[in-house]
Amino acid sequence: MLRKGIDCIGVCLVYFCHDGNGNLLFMKRSQNARDEQGTWDVGGGALELFNTVEERLKLEIQEEYMTDVLEYEFLGYRDVHRVLDNGQETHWVALDFLVRVEPGMVQIGEPHKFDAMGWFTLASLPQPLHSQLPFQISLYEERLARALKQNI
């Protein structure tokens, strides 16, 4: 069986969820997370065979955050090349989105993967961040700030 990102290029969706009031949702990865335990991350998940991108985006947000997508915007894509702690090289193509959700409905839908969640602004990001986030944020910083109505 082929392993996504290792034996073949994986395709994933990564999403910055926001509340419409300038706050972004981050989750703290638990000790049971696949990698980068203890870091703060935005949501994401692999595209699955026979799901459209939009279907998968909505399913992933429902699974991780227990809420619906109110609106979304495609930000762009990135080639993600990483070396995991065990030395394994991976290659993913990430489709990045900005997604508005209802903040009162959000809760941790996968408690085995996440220890905490919180709402943060671009000026007050939680630490430590997942290794991919600094580049991802810098790539979309102006668009995120404009959408969140924040000064950078």
Side-chain angles (χ1 to χ4, degrees):
M1 179 151 186
L2 295 177
R3 296 168 294 165
K4 296 175 193 169
I6 297 172
D7 300 316
C8 59
I9 298 170
V11 179
C12 63
L13 311 174
V14 179
Y15 33 90
F16 289 95
C17 288
H18 71 98
D19 63 0
N21 292 310
N23 300 297
L24 293 168
L25 181 61
F26 286 82
M27 303 288 261
K28 188 173 184 184
R29 297 169 71 87
S30 78
Q31 292 306 308
N32 297 325
R34 179 180 58 245
D35 56 22
E36 300 206 37
Q37 297 88 356
T39 62
W40 288 87
D41 199 1
V42 295
L47 185 61
E48 299 290 339
L49 192 61
F50 304 118
N51 278 147
T52 67
V53 170
E54 181 179 15
E55 287 169 344
R56 195 72 209 158
L57 179 68
K58 291 177 179 180
L59 286 169
E60 284 290 337
I61 289 172
Q62 184 59 236
E63 288 173 8
E64 285 188 6
Y65 300 147
M66 307 293 290
T67 192
D68 295 325
V69 170
L70 299 177
E71 60 187 29
Y72 69 91
E73 172 187 347
F74 178 65
L75 295 171
Y77 74 92
R78 296 171 292 125
D79 271 295
V80 180
H81 298 271
R82 296 176 57 205
V83 178
L84 302 179
D85 290 341
N86 65 4
Q88 180 67 62
E89 293 182 18
T90 67
H91 182 190
W92 289 82
V93 172
L95 307 175
D96 296 322
F97 292 87
L98 179 64
V99 179
R100 188 168 67 86
V101 296
E102 176 58 51
M105 300 296 293
V106 172
Q107 54 187 308
I108 297 174
E110 297 179 319
H112 57 287
K113 293 182 183 178
F114 304 106
D115 289 334
M117 68 176 200
W119 295 94
F120 301 88
T121 66
L122 286 174
S124 66
L125 296 174
Q127 297 297 321
L129 289 175
H130 185 280
S131 66
Q132 296 300 304
L133 278 175
F135 173 73
Q136 185 183 14
I137 290 169
S138 71
L139 187 62
Y140 304 119
E141 189 168 30
E142 288 183 23
R143 290 177 65 196
L144 290 170
R146 194 169 40 252
L148 300 172
K149 297 173 179 59
Q150 296 178 9
N151 293 324
I152 55 172

